[in-house]
Amino acid sequence: MSVRVLLVEDEMIVAEDLRRTLRQLGYEVSSIVATGEAVRRQVEIDQPDLILMDIGLKGSMDGIEAAQELNSRHAVPIVYLTAYTDPETLKRAKLTNPFGYIIKPFEKRDLRTTIEMALHKHRMEKKVTHLNTVLRAIRNVNQLITTEKDTEKLIQGICQNLVDNRGYDNVWIAITNRVGRIVTTAEADIEHRHAGGVQQVVNAALPVCVERARSQQGVVVMSDIEVCASCDFVSAFRGKHVLCVRLESNQIIYGFMKAALPSGFIIDDDELALFQEVANDVAFNLHTIRVEEERMRVEHELRNSETRLRKIINRTADGIIIVDRHGIVRFANPAAQAMFGLTEQELVGTVFGAPVASEDTTEIKLVRPDTRPITAEMRTAEIQWEGKSAYLASLRDITDHKKIEQALQQSVEKSQRILQETVQALAIALEKRDPYTAGHSLRVAQLAEALAEELGLPEDQVRGAHIAAAIHDIGKIYVPAEILSKPRSLSDAEFNLIKSHPQIGFDILKDIEFPWPIAQTVLQHHERMDGSGYPQGLSDGQIPLLAKILGVADVVEAMCSHRPYRPAPGLKRALEEITDNRGVLYSSDVVDACSSLFGREGFRFSP
């Protein structure tokens, strides 16, 4: 849309020449008037974007006087046309704050430059005025929010503030309860008319804009359209836009705010952002008020329940100590008095001596004046006591329990030591029958334990891997010694007898109650990922991790050791074997861990 210029010039030849020039520059001349009196009337009719006005006009009012009157009524930028350059005239013109001067005669480019600069300056001034209005409205709302804690006074004050400082025709705020029913409203409008918002709430007939705001994020913009025809808000302010937004904080809807805007009010992103920001501030304050009300309600209930609490904790078998935030004892029930060997009068007012701010369970030693110390298990919780923040410490005497626990731990450690020694003895007994494989099982146990650690298994599982590896060949006890130590290749029958050792080992171990699946691991340590192993021909998903670890450790150690029927292939060949068959015979994860151990970690078998 082209810029509309109202031309004020009393010389018609000059005026027509200016009209042509302005059209050539792309501007539209809305009218040409010759007097100051006429320009006042024509501005009302044309609503121009700019007035190009000669200072020296015929009649009783010159251009400067006309500009003074226009400035008091209209916000239209004025550019002076003048052939006068005397200081007095320019001084008078300057008092009207013109947006520019064109000195006759002038060049076409000077005219364009002056007009464009005037329009730009006018736009910038309007923007600054708009922003100042926005900032003033936000400042006033925030001041009200920080000082007013009464909900009804708060929302009424915000409605009035937005009408007075933002220029809205009407503002309406409705507050909802926890089930979404509107319970409180406030309303203000510029003409002190009642738009019917309160009556709508009474009749439970919510406007369409409120229903939309209830179901969608952001500001809802409604025009005077058919869907709003029955709304009191629209009918009271015919031809206006309506903004509506929900008041939401912490995903809780506290109500709704809507406003009717004057005709010609620009609804841009800044305006929507202002409306949303005000709504957010109001919602946050409503949230704060509701939280404070809830806090006061809970505090009241706590005070009322304190007497009941005293009765309960006086009857409990656990010792109960109430400690204030400075660590001073404020209450001790009879059980606590007995645990400390002191009366309540002797305990109250003293420093408790143990940290109570943590909610974790802790153990403390209670030194009593009359008898042996006791160990107490303490649990703490933050509470309100006599209207102030405090801590409740619950004490339970676990002295005897600790003794039993210590004895049990010693028993477990002894059992584990016996188990370890028994396994060690079995491994040594096995190797006595086969001197050529002396140390094999213990070296396999070293590697299996290291592999389990490399794979990140828990300490308990690492221990299980060691135990299973130490006795994995226990079934060879049933294999004749001459076959075990035979210096030549075995016959098929002899090899099948050797292959029976996993099953025999399982049969020996299956009735022993190990903490780990030792018997199953021994049974499956010769199973392979592709199902080619023995004795059951299991494949990948059927073989437990401990058996996969033991299988790799067994192969690597065996290839690193001499046998009666062959020299040791060595570590390099052993690693090539498991790497070449990674994912085929041996678990990929276990192979990778083994390669890392011997490479990056520098693992070596102990002698």
Side-chain angles (χ1 to χ4, degrees):
M1 181 181 294
S2 62
V3 174
R4 302 175 72 250
V5 179
L6 174 60
L7 185 57
V8 187
E9 173 60 60
D10 57 1
E11 295 184 18
M12 293 311 297
I13 294 175
V14 176
E16 287 300 327
D17 184 53
L18 275 170
R19 186 205 296 269
R20 286 192 300 272
T21 301
L22 289 168
R23 286 179 176 174
Q24 290 171 2
L25 293 174
Y27 303 115
E28 176 188 347
V29 177
S30 62
S31 300
I32 298 176
V33 295
T35 66
E37 292 83 2
V39 73
R40 292 182 299 180
R41 296 187 298 271
Q42 203 61 41
V43 167
E44 297 283 352
I45 298 170
D46 290 3
Q47 297 290 314
D49 300 308
L50 180 136
I51 300 173
L52 192 59
M53 183 158 58
D54 193 358
I55 290 179
L57 297 175
K58 296 175 183 178
S60 61
M61 181 180 291
D62 66 6
I64 295 174
E65 292 170 328
Q68 289 175 333
E69 188 167 326
L70 288 172
N71 284 342
S72 65
R73 298 184 179 183
H74 305 282
V76 183
I78 297 174
V79 174
Y80 285 129
L81 284 168
T82 182
Y84 300 99
T85 56
D86 61 283
E88 187 61 33
T89 300
L90 292 177
K91 183 178 180 181
R92 287 181 59 227
K94 188 176 181 180
L95 293 175
T96 64
N97 297 314
F99 283 76
Y101 298 90
I102 298 291
I103 307 298
K104 300 176 184 179
F106 52 82
E107 296 291 334
K108 189 183 296 185
R109 66 174 179 274
D110 294 334
L111 179 61
R112 177 192 290 276
T113 299
T114 303
I115 290 175
E116 290 302 319
M117 288 181 64
L119 291 170
H120 177 73
K121 180 181 178 184
H122 181 62
R123 285 193 295 269
M124 290 302 99
E125 287 187 357
K126 286 179 64 177
K127 185 71 172 178
V128 170
T129 301
H130 173 76
L131 290 177
N132 285 336
T133 304
V134 169
L135 291 174
R136 186 167 60 253
I138 291 176
R139 183 191 66 226
N140 291 342
V141 167
N142 286 336
Q143 287 177 347
L144 185 62
I145 285 173
T146 56
T147 57
E148 185 56 72
K149 301 306 178 185
D150 182 273
T151 300
E152 293 187 6
K153 291 181 180 179
L154 171 68
I155 61 176
Q156 184 61 53
I158 290 171
C159 289
Q160 196 63 54
N161 174 72
L162 291 177
V163 168
D164 295 342
N165 295 298
R166 188 66 199 107
Y168 295 155
D169 275 354
N170 182 284
V171 179
W172 179 78
I173 295 178
I175 306 301
T176 58
N177 58 18
R178 287 177 174 78
V179 296
R181 185 176 181 83
I182 292 177
V183 293
T184 306
T185 63
E187 190 171 10
D189 66 77
I190 198 166
E191 297 180 3
H192 305 290
R193 293 179 297 176
H194 174 57
V198 176
Q199 191 59 42
Q200 286 180 333
V201 174
V202 173
N203 297 333
L206 296 179
V208 175
C209 57
V210 174
E211 293 293 354
R212 289 188 181 178
R214 189 196 299 273
S215 61
Q216 71 181 59
Q217 293 280 357
V219 180
V220 174
V221 181
M222 304 291 292
S223 301
D224 183 15
I225 54 179
E226 184 178 351
V227 71
C228 298
S230 61
C231 177
D232 288 338
F233 225 64
V234 173
S235 60
F237 301 97
R238 179 66 61 183
K240 314 296 176 66
H241 287 86
V242 172
L243 305 182
C244 188
V245 68
R246 66 194 189 197
L247 306 176
E248 182 176 12
S249 180
N250 287 9
Q251 299 182 329
I252 300 173
I253 296 176
Y254 288 93
F256 304 91
M257 180 173 72
K258 63 176 180 173
L261 277 57
S263 297
F265 203 101
I266 299 174
I267 304 176
D268 56 11
D269 290 342
D270 288 340
E271 193 60 43
L272 296 180
L274 163 68
F275 201 68
Q276 182 69 67
E277 182 175 348
V278 171
N280 291 343
D281 289 344
V282 174
F284 179 77
N285 191 255
L286 292 172
H287 172 74
T288 302
I289 291 174
R290 189 167 292 182
V291 168
E292 179 63 17
E293 290 174 348
E294 181 66 16
R295 187 194 67 79
M296 293 176 65
R297 183 189 65 81
V298 170
E299 187 175 297
H300 179 70
E301 290 181 355
L302 284 173
R303 283 197 298 268
N304 289 341
S305 64
E306 196 168 288
T307 301
R308 295 194 299 272
L309 179 60
R310 284 177 181 268
K311 291 180 180 179
I312 292 172
I313 62 180
N314 274 329
R315 295 172 182 172
T316 183
D318 288 343
I320 301 295
I321 297 286
I322 306 296
V323 182
D324 66 18
R325 300 192 69 85
H326 303 290
I328 305 301
V329 176
R330 295 303 175 193
F331 172 83
N333 74 339
Q337 298 168 37
M339 293 174 73
F340 281 88
L342 298 171
T343 65
E344 184 176 13
Q345 290 75 19
E346 292 172 324
L347 279 170
V348 173
T350 63
V351 177
F352 182 55
V356 293
S358 171
E359 293 189 359
D360 295 334
T361 301
T362 55
E363 292 182 7
I364 61 173
K365 291 286 187 181
L366 302 181
V367 180
R368 303 192 294 180
D370 58 342
T371 183
R372 60 181 175 81
I374 66 173
T375 301
E377 180 184 78
M378 181 174 73
R379 299 173 185 268
T380 62
E382 191 169 356
I383 64 168
Q384 289 291 317
W385 185 260
E386 296 178 345
K388 296 180 181 179
S389 180
Y391 296 96
L392 183 150
S394 173
L395 305 172
R396 176 166 295 180
D397 187 347
I398 58 170
T399 306
D400 294 338
H401 173 77
K402 291 295 290 185
K403 289 182 179 179
I404 295 171
E405 188 179 81
Q406 185 177 9
L408 180 61
Q409 180 63 29
Q410 291 173 348
S411 175
V412 169
E413 290 174 356
K414 182 178 180 180
S415 297
Q416 290 179 344
R417 187 170 60 254
I418 292 172
L419 173 63
Q420 183 71 30
E421 292 170 353
T422 301
V423 169
Q424 192 87 357
L426 286 172
I428 292 172
L430 173 64
E431 291 179 352
K432 291 295 183 182
R433 300 188 68 249
D434 185 9
Y436 291 101
T437 61
H440 166 69
S441 294
L442 296 181
R443 287 193 296 273
V444 171
Q446 292 174 21
L447 181 53
E449 180 178 342
L451 286 172
E453 290 177 343
E454 183 72 12
L455 288 166
L457 297 187
E459 183 180 349
D460 180 65
Q461 292 298 304
V462 172
R463 188 183 182 91
H466 178 93
I467 296 295
I471 56 174
H472 73 282
D473 279 340
I474 189 68
K476 288 184 179 179
I477 286 178
Y478 282 81
V479 179
E482 57 270 21
I483 294 178
L484 293 176
S485 59
K486 186 176 181 180
R488 296 182 302 277
S489 298
L490 300 175
S491 66
D492 289 344
E494 291 171 331
F495 185 63
N496 286 334
L497 186 58
I498 290 286
K499 289 171 64 175
S500 69
H501 78 276
Q503 182 64 55
I504 295 171
F506 173 78
D507 293 338
I508 293 172
L509 301 171
K510 65 182 180 180
D511 294 326
I512 300 176
E513 293 186 8
F514 289 100
W516 315 276
I518 299 298
Q520 285 294 126
T521 304
V522 168
L523 176 65
Q524 296 163 354
H525 75 276
H526 277 290
E527 301 290 354
R528 297 295 179 255
M529 302 283 285
D530 61 356
S532 62
Y534 63 86
Q536 297 171 297
L538 303 179
S539 57
D540 180 16
Q542 301 170 302
I543 306 172
L545 179 57
L546 285 182
K548 293 176 181 178
I549 292 172
L550 180 52
V552 170
D554 189 29
V555 168
V556 171
E557 197 289 326
M559 294 184 69
C560 289
S561 303
H562 292 285
R563 292 291 184 267
Y565 51 86
R566 55 115 174 115
L571 177 62
K572 180 179 179 182
R573 182 67 191 91
L575 295 178
E576 288 175 354
E577 161 65 19
I578 62 173
T579 302
D580 291 345
N581 291 289
R582 178 182 179 275
V584 179
L585 300 180
Y586 313 109
S587 164
S588 299
D589 292 340
V590 180
V591 170
D592 292 344
C594 190
S595 300
S596 176
L597 275 177
F598 283 99
R600 174 175 54 81
E601 302 292 341
F603 176 84
R604 293 294 179 269
F605 290 109
S606 299

